[in-house]
């Protein structure tokens, strides 16, 4: 599957005591979900669980899926420390298929894999969106390699919002937003700007 989807390497990355990522939710998750009434949600590729836990604190019934057992263990500890309950599922997204039309919100955040791996994961995620539900994807944009800060330096695992829109063709979702967005990043040298792809879609009632 290549290094991008190598659970052992992610287990090693998550193996330290500290969180690899911040415990705070992604800024785009906060902005895009603040007007959505809580329901049932799934976070595909949840890592250490920051986004799933933040949603659970706001009344969402959460499922978090990741192939790193180490990442999920840290997610569980973080959830316990914040007194919320999340259903954690250890699974490879290339094989995992969430229940069709069962979730009011489906998240994919920073799944950086080649197109042949991304497309079936995105389609399975789209299929999981319930009537009236939302799909939200955020990823390192292709343009970030030349014009942004941080993120993977392998162009084969980067993509654009329009690539995702193509992935969603025929999935029965309405595209509400598909664009490149700026994400400020604090660094020792001051604030820099990362460029992300953001796609929000919904399934009609």
């Amino acid at each position: 599957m290549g290094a991008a989807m190598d659970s052992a390497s992610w287990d090693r990355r998550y193996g330290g005591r500290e969180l690899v990522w911040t415990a705070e939710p992604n800024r785009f998750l906060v902005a895009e979900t603040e007007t959505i009434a809580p329901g049932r949600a799934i976070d595909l590729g949840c890592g250490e669980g920051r986004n799933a836990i933040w949603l659970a604190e706001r009344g969402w019934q959460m499922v978090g899926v990741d192939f790193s057992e180490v990442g999920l263990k840290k997610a569980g500890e973080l959830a316990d420390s914040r007194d919320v309950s999340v259903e954690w599922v250890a699974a490879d997204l290339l094989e995992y298929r969430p229940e069709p039309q069962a979730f009011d919100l489906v998240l994919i955040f920073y799944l950086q894999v080649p197109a042949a791996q991304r497309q079936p994961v995105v389609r399975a995620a789209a299929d999981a969106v319930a009537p009236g539900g939302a799909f939200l994807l955020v990823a390192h944009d292709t343009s970030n390699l030349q014009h942004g800060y941080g993120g993977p330096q392998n162009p084969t695992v980067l993509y654009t919002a329009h690539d995702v829109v193509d992935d969603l063709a025929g999935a029965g979702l309405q595209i509400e937003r598909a664009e490149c967005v700026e994400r400020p990043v604090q660094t020792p040298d001051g604030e820099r700007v990362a460029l992300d792809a953001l796609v929000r879609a919904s399934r009609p009632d």
Side-chain angles (χ1 to χ4, degrees):
M1 291 188 300
M5 289 293 279
D6 178 359
S7 60
S9 66
W10 278 101
D11 281 345
R12 289 192 294 273
R13 191 170 184 183
Y14 288 135
R17 293 182 60 187
E18 299 300 319
L19 294 173
V20 174
W21 318 116
T22 173
E24 297 304 310
N26 178 272
R27 63 169 50 234
F28 301 119
L29 173 71
V30 175
E32 295 295 327
T33 63
E34 61 184 358
T35 61
I36 304 177
R40 189 176 183 215
I42 188 167
D43 184 357
L44 298 169
C46 65
E48 296 166 309
R50 62 186 180 126
N51 292 324
I53 291 167
W54 183 82
L55 286 168
E57 288 178 324
R58 278 144 189 83
W60 288 85
Q61 294 177 303
M62 286 304 307
V63 178
V65 183
D66 203 274
F67 66 178
S68 171
E69 298 271 9
V70 177
L72 290 177
K73 183 175 185 293
K74 293 174 78 173
E77 292 169 352
L78 183 60
D80 288 345
S81 73
R82 287 161 62 166
D83 198 28
V84 294
S85 177
V86 176
E87 179 186 346
W88 305 111
V89 178
D92 187 330
L93 294 185
L94 300 182
E95 302 168 356
Y96 179 78
R97 292 295 177 267
E99 185 181 346
Q101 297 194 24
F103 296 93
D104 303 299
L105 176 64
V106 178
L107 306 178
I108 304 178
F109 276 57
Y110 302 103
L111 177 69
Q112 308 298 153
V113 296
Q117 296 180 359
R118 180 192 76 240
Q119 290 161 354
V121 175
V122 169
R123 285 305 297 262
D127 290 343
V129 178
F135 167 97
L136 182 62
L137 178 146
V138 178
H140 298 289
D141 192 88
T142 299
S143 63
N144 193 67
L145 192 61
Q146 295 295 327
H147 305 292
Y149 175 82
Q153 300 301 297
N154 177 359
T156 67
V157 303
L158 300 173
Y159 48 98
T160 69
H162 295 295
D163 292 330
V164 177
V165 170
D166 289 343
D167 295 346
L168 293 172
L173 301 186
Q174 293 180 344
I175 305 300
E176 298 177 344
R177 187 179 181 192
E179 59 189 280
C180 181
V181 293
E182 296 185 351
R183 174 171 47 86
V185 180
Q186 301 301 324
T187 79
D189 299 319
E191 185 175 278
R192 303 285 295 276
V193 175
L195 301 174
D196 287 348
L198 186 153
V199 176
R200 176 174 169 166
S202 62
R203 184 178 301 284
D205 285 319

